Amino acid sequence: MPGAAAAGAQVGHPATRPQSDPDAGADAAARSARIATLDWAALEDDIRACRACVLCERREQAVPGVGDRQARWMFVGEGPGAEEDQRGEPFVGQAGRLLDNMLAAIGLERGKEVYIANAVKCRPPHNRTPERAELTACLPYLERQIALVQPTLLIALGRPAAQALLDRDVAISAARGKRFERKGIPVVVTYHPAYLLRNPLDKAKAWEDLCFARRLMGGEG
Ligand code: URA
């Protein structure tokens, strides 16, 4: 659907618009409604052409997502880093290697029963944390990915992903070990692999969280 990408490209930068702009809310609602109708090909085209927030300005490329489009497990990270920005695939750097090990620890494999996406699809400069307006601008894409995959379980990796999936700010230390829901789909929150690389002592907690997620998948949670 070539028109969809072009329409996406015409949206301004809601992230930088003055809040008093009376058209901002209507534009955002129309954009969300349009994105909610896209099929996979049109969605990925739209993401690659997106100029809805400032993150488009310094990206090499947008990074839509990767994996099994009928996955039962959907992992959501924060946003692409330098390697992901170069290669166009989420979690291919050092944090990605740890994520692959975390998947393997619960018997999963990238691409099989697992879909991986990010809360924002474009790399934040210097790998800074995405801002709320950027998460909001990118949320329709994540929503559409979730609607298309229809996972049995969502796992938020780190605080921005949890914020995007739960529509509120949470501290990982307080949210882990609990079962949340997004539109009827259970959500589990755990540490981001990049955090775990810096804080290896917390890997044991992430392991507990993955075991909790696995129990929920088995219907025991
Ligand atoms: N960190 C993320 O949150 N996502 C990626 O794709 C890579 C690193």
Side-chain angles (χ1 to χ4, degrees), residues 72-114:
R72 296 174 67 225
W73 300 75
M74 183 162 169
F75 288 76
V76 179
E78 179 173 323
E83 286 190 60
E84 290 77 17
D85 181 59
Q86 289 296 320
R87 289 176 49 187
E89 181 175 334
F91 283 103
V92 289
Q94 215 191 346
R97 286 187 280 284
L98 179 54
L99 178 60
D100 287 342
N101 291 340
M102 291 163 72
L103 295 177
I106 51 168
L108 297 174
E109 198 181 316
R110 179 186 293 246
K112 277 195 201 158
E113 289 274 334
V114 176

Side-chain angles (χ1 to χ4, degrees), residues 44-154:
E44 295 199 341
D45 282 352
D46 213 75
I47 291 171
R48 292 196 176 98
C50 181
R51 304 202 56 84
C53 85
V54 293
L55 295 184
C56 67
E57 285 166 8
R58 291 167 68 183
R59 71 180 175 215
E60 197 59 48
Q61 60 186 312
V63 181
V66 72
D68 181 349
R69 291 175 173 179
Q70 271 104 43
R72 296 174 67 225
W73 300 75
M74 183 162 169
F75 288 76
V76 179
E78 179 173 323
E83 286 190 60
E84 290 77 17
D85 181 59
Q86 289 296 320
R87 289 176 49 187
E89 181 175 334
F91 283 103
V92 289
Q94 215 191 346
R97 286 187 280 284
L98 179 54
L99 178 60
D100 287 342
N101 291 340
M102 291 163 72
L103 295 177
I106 51 168
L108 297 174
E109 198 181 316
R110 179 186 293 246
K112 277 195 201 158
E113 289 274 334
V114 176
Y115 190 83
I116 303 172
N118 278 310
V120 296
K121 314 303 188 201
C122 299
R123 182 189 182 201
H126 310 293
N127 298 342
R128 66 160 169 75
T129 303
E131 290 174 5
R132 183 178 291 269
E134 294 157 358
L135 291 167
T136 302
C138 223
L139 189 59
Y141 290 136
L142 183 60
E143 296 254 36
R144 187 61 186 150
Q145 288 174 315
I146 295 169
L148 287 168
V149 174
Q150 294 188 281
T152 308
L153 182 71
L154 285 156

Side-chain angles (χ1 to χ4, degrees), residues 149-169:
V149 174
Q150 294 188 281
T152 308
L153 182 71
L154 285 156
I155 301 194
L157 300 167
R159 193 168 182 164
Q163 193 177 335
L165 289 176
L166 304 180
D167 290 323
R168 64 194 153 101
D169 197 9

Side-chain angles (χ1 to χ4, degrees), residues 170-183:
V170 292
I172 300 299
S173 55
R176 51 178 294 275
K178 297 188 181 135
R179 179 190 188 281
F180 297 91
E181 270 192 18
R182 177 176 188 88
K183 298 187 177 166

